[in-house]
Amino acid sequence: MERCFPRELGALESIHVFVVDFLSTNGIPAANAFEVDLILEELFTNMVKHSKDGRHDIAVGLSRDGEKLTIRIRDFDVEAYDLTQAPEFDESMPMSERRGGGMGLHLIRRIAESLQYEYIDRNSIITVTKRIQP
């Protein structure tokens, strides 16, 4: 199931409704909504804030294969940014010495089984897979 959302932070509420509808329709326990929302909120927000040349809606797709949930988010006609190459977040560093950003991606990496990035014809595609919790 895929749907496009306006490139604005106000779309996060509609994305949450999309997630809840998908989980319900596919018999996935609602307890999974928190982590899926967190992943999508982080990725969507970064696309809105950092894809300066983005003019199109952002596509969000969800699919289920057994106990695996796939989250795919596509941004159209943008410059490449491979978030899988971003440095790891250092939790041991004191707050006063940490660089800005990176904690959301750190959380995604901890929740996800896999995180992949593709860049095809000026389209950024991020795919996250995670296990469905009972």
Side-chain angles (χ1 to χ4, degrees):
M1 176 185 290
E2 183 177 83
R3 185 171 158 206
C4 289
F5 295 91
R7 176 182 295 283
E8 56 190 44
L9 296 180
L12 289 170
E13 181 60 34
S14 297
I15 292 171
H16 171 72
V17 171
F18 175 70
V19 168
V20 170
D21 288 347
F22 175 83
L23 297 178
S24 175
T25 300
N26 288 276
I28 300 171
N32 290 274
F34 177 78
E35 289 183 346
V36 176
D37 280 338
L38 185 130
I39 290 167
L40 282 170
E41 181 175 330
E42 178 64 24
L43 296 176
F44 186 87
T45 299
N46 284 345
M47 286 179 170
V48 169
K49 287 183 176 180
H50 301 295
S51 292
K52 305 288 187 229
D53 51 347
R55 294 176 295 280
H56 303 281
D57 289 350
I58 297 170
V60 174
L62 300 169
S63 61
R64 177 184 188 169
D65 183 13
E67 297 304 310
K68 185 187 294 186
L69 178 66
T70 300
I71 302 160
R72 182 166 289 122
I73 185 165
R74 295 185 297 145
D75 200 0
F76 304 95
D77 195 24
V78 293
E79 294 297 321
Y81 177 72
D82 186 351
L83 76 164
T84 65
Q85 301 302 309
E88 293 289 332
F89 183 80
D90 185 355
E91 294 179 69
S92 66
M93 188 177 288
M95 289 291 278
S96 61
E97 296 176 23
R98 290 183 185 168
R99 65 175 177 77
M103 187 154 202
L105 182 55
H106 172 73
L107 291 172
I108 291 172
R109 286 174 170 153
R110 294 193 65 154
I111 293 169
E113 276 191 7
S114 71
L115 174 64
Q116 299 173 329
Y117 177 79
E118 296 174 273
Y119 187 69
I120 303 167
D121 298 328
R122 292 193 42 83
N123 298 318
S124 286
I125 305 159
I126 301 169
T127 304
V128 179
T129 59
K130 70 173 286 319
R131 284 244 170 257
I132 295 171
Q133 302 301 316

